[in-house]
Amino acid sequence: MVPISPSPRPARVRPVAEPAGVGLVGFVGFVGLGVYGAVGRLGFLPYPLLQLLVLAVGTGLFAVRRRWPRAVLLTLAALTGLVPAVGPATAAAAYSVARRTAEPRPRARLLAAAGVLLVACATVAGPRLGPGSAAYGLALGLVLAPTAVIVPGLVGTAQGQQGRLLRALRERGDAAERARRLADSEARTHERSRIAAEMHDLVGHRLSLVSLHAGGLELALERAAPELREEAVLVRRTTRDAMRELRRALGVLGPLARDTGPDALTDATGTRADIEALVAQSRDGGIAVRLDWTGPDLDARPAPVRRAVHRVVREALTNVHRYAADAHVTVTVVHGGAQVRVTVRNGARPGPPAPVEELGTGRGLTGLRERVELLGGTFEAAAPASGGFRVDAAVPTEPTERAEPAGPAGDLAPGRSLRGGGPDAPGPTGGTAPDGVGPDGTAPSGTAPSGVAPDGVGPDGRRTAEVLTLGFGLAALSALMVVGTAFVYAAQPSGRSGPAPLPRVGMTYGEVAGLGVRDNGAVRAAATGHEPPRPAGTAGCVYPFNGATERRPGGLLIARYCFDAAQRLIAIDRFDVPSVRDATPWEIP
């Protein structure tokens, strides 16, 4: 076997920051402009130019969040306390950073620090850039912290944990598949080693006989025909060299003495007497087994066919001894003209089924499949619906060379050693781990470091779901930011306390109208013909409805506000006018 040098471990390269998507940055900036416009339309936007400049700075910081994620999130949280329109950028950054951070404690501390920093900045900026007082600035910070930091951070945490869980499950499945392939490959290698031992025993025995007869022929020809003695010497030496080369060639397949002892294969292996001996041994071991043989004996068939029949029966009966010793077993051998079909069928166990931990690995069956398929036959091993287990092998009586079967058992490709090594073998000596992880467990250049997943991983469906989540989530959180900001600003008192001031002489018409004094046509009609003379210099009077009061039955108190030509209030008069009242039904004569 040619030794294979392990693959070089890639150098650890510090991943560089990937450029943020222009579309995502533009979308976040557009949503921030939407919040800016909504708050301004409601009339709660002090220093609009300054807030617009801060919004542009926050959008630019969001574009470099992958290079300095923690610093960018904290800075955006501070800017959100000053300008609520930066909230969408902060929410998107909190989602991204929380989703990419695997360690729970650093993530929780970062989100908490960002929330506290936002509340502190909003409280300090309240009297200057906010609602007008530190208390209402604190209220604004408490409204913005959940919508801009806490909720997006929790959503990002859930998304990140889901992605890491899926990757871990995928890696575990790939590792289990690689382990199964290695186990099957080991079983194939073990079976080939046993085949090599059989070849050494049987072919080597034949070559030894040829060498022995060649030596005898050499001695006989030395006296009878000396001119032919060299030919006999050549045959003996060639046989010896063939024996040596056979040992050297088969030595790479495994230990040659593996099948020595009482189970060593002989020329009688696989014949009817041999199979009957195996069945008798199982009966002596307490197994209820019956042999059904159809057709002639196998003594005239090639040795590989007989050895395959022997191996199938012996392995199947060994499994019965291990896992179903109290079941009934039937061994059926049908020898036809073109193939030999061997079937070993055991019924279900009378007692409870075998525990899972007592079940085997299936490597023996994998080895049998390898042996039978190399001869051009077919092999099946499965549990029927009626219970028990069934092993069925069909071996051609005249085996032909056949390409190695391709299947799920980790087939050996050209260029790979029979022991499962080589540049294409799974495991630490070749290839890469799933999901873009290098052989040393580090991420390749251009990906996120350990514990951090890149923003755009996953299939197209997952990527689309993440984009929709980010879009709709930002829209909903932005709406909550606008509502919360408007609520805090509207709850701030205007600074005026006590009852509203009353109109007084000297006010302008606009000031009086601002206090709710408006002319009413009905009150003016009631005062016509009953009002006192207007003061000198009056240009017009106003008769408000809120100045008319029924002070006594049949009388209505009316207030009159008279203005001069300069729209200045010059007189406030109150007088009574008669009121008209319909008689009640019982007063009608």
Side-chain angles (χ1 to χ4, degrees), residues 16-284:
V16 298
E18 302 175 3
V22 178
L24 179 59
V25 176
F27 176 72
V28 171
F30 176 77
V31 176
L33 283 176
V35 175
Y36 173 86
V39 174
R41 187 162 183 93
L42 294 175
F44 306 127
L45 192 65
Y47 306 102
L49 294 180
L50 177 61
Q51 296 208 21
L52 188 61
L53 177 61
V54 175
L55 174 60
V57 173
T59 304
L61 287 176
F62 175 75
V64 296
R65 71 194 183 282
R66 294 181 182 175
R67 183 179 294 272
W68 303 289
R70 294 168 177 80
V72 168
L73 178 58
L74 294 177
T75 304
L76 289 176
L79 293 179
T80 304
L82 305 178
V83 178
V86 188
T90 306
Y95 169 85
S96 176
V97 174
R99 190 171 67 87
R100 298 174 63 211
T101 305
E103 296 80 4
R105 291 185 178 179
R107 179 178 59 240
R109 287 196 294 264
L110 178 62
L111 294 177
V116 171
L117 184 60
L118 189 154
V119 174
C121 291
T123 303
V124 173
R128 298 172 180 83
L129 301 176
S133 66
Y136 281 85
L138 174 62
L140 180 61
L142 293 177
V143 169
L144 293 177
T147 55
V149 177
I150 305 302
V151 172
L154 294 178
V155 174
T157 299
Q159 290 282 345
Q161 289 179 346
Q162 180 184 10
R164 286 185 288 273
L165 177 61
L166 290 177
R167 283 192 296 274
L169 292 177
R170 190 181 300 113
E171 291 174 0
R172 169 177 281 188
D174 292 341
E177 180 66 16
R178 288 196 301 271
R180 186 186 65 82
R181 289 177 178 272
L182 287 175
D184 291 345
S185 179
E186 181 182 353
R188 287 174 176 266
T189 302
H190 178 72
E191 186 63 25
R192 292 188 178 189
S193 299
R194 294 201 299 183
I195 294 174
E198 296 172 9
M199 293 175 60
H200 174 267
D201 294 340
L202 299 179
V203 179
H205 176 65
R206 302 299 184 191
L207 290 178
S208 299
L209 292 178
V210 171
S211 178
L212 179 63
H213 288 292
L217 182 61
E218 177 184 352
L219 295 177
L221 291 177
E222 184 177 7
R223 295 187 298 271
E227 65 277 5
L228 298 178
R229 178 178 176 277
E230 293 299 326
E231 298 295 331
V233 172
L234 179 61
V235 172
R236 181 174 56 81
R237 291 178 179 177
T238 302
T239 305
R240 183 186 60 190
D241 294 339
M243 187 66 178
R244 185 185 305 109
E245 292 175 359
L246 177 64
R247 287 180 177 273
R248 185 182 300 110
L250 297 182
V252 300
L253 298 180
L256 296 179
R258 179 169 299 183
D259 282 335
T260 59
D263 293 332
L265 303 182
T266 63
D267 291 342
T269 298
T271 60
R272 182 166 185 171
D274 178 57
I275 302 302
E276 290 176 349
L278 291 177
V279 172
Q281 292 176 4
S282 296
R283 289 199 190 101
D284 295 339

Side-chain angles (χ1 to χ4, degrees), residues 304-306 308-309 312 338-342 372 375-378 393-399:
V305 176
R306 292 184 282 107
V309 173
V312 170
Q339 69 177 5
V340 181
R341 178 172 294 276
V342 182
V372 173
L375 295 176
T378 59
V395 184
T397 55
E398 296 295 334

Side-chain angles (χ1 to χ4, degrees), residues 322-326 349 351-361:
R322 291 178 179 176
Y323 311 119
D326 49 356
R349 298 178 59 180
V356 177
E357 58 271 13
E358 295 183 4
L359 298 180
T361 61

Side-chain angles (χ1 to χ4, degrees), residues 495-517:
R496 184 181 61 194
S497 60
L502 298 174
R504 63 182 182 275
V505 176
M507 287 184 172
T508 64
Y509 175 77
E511 294 174 344
V512 174
L515 297 177
V517 178

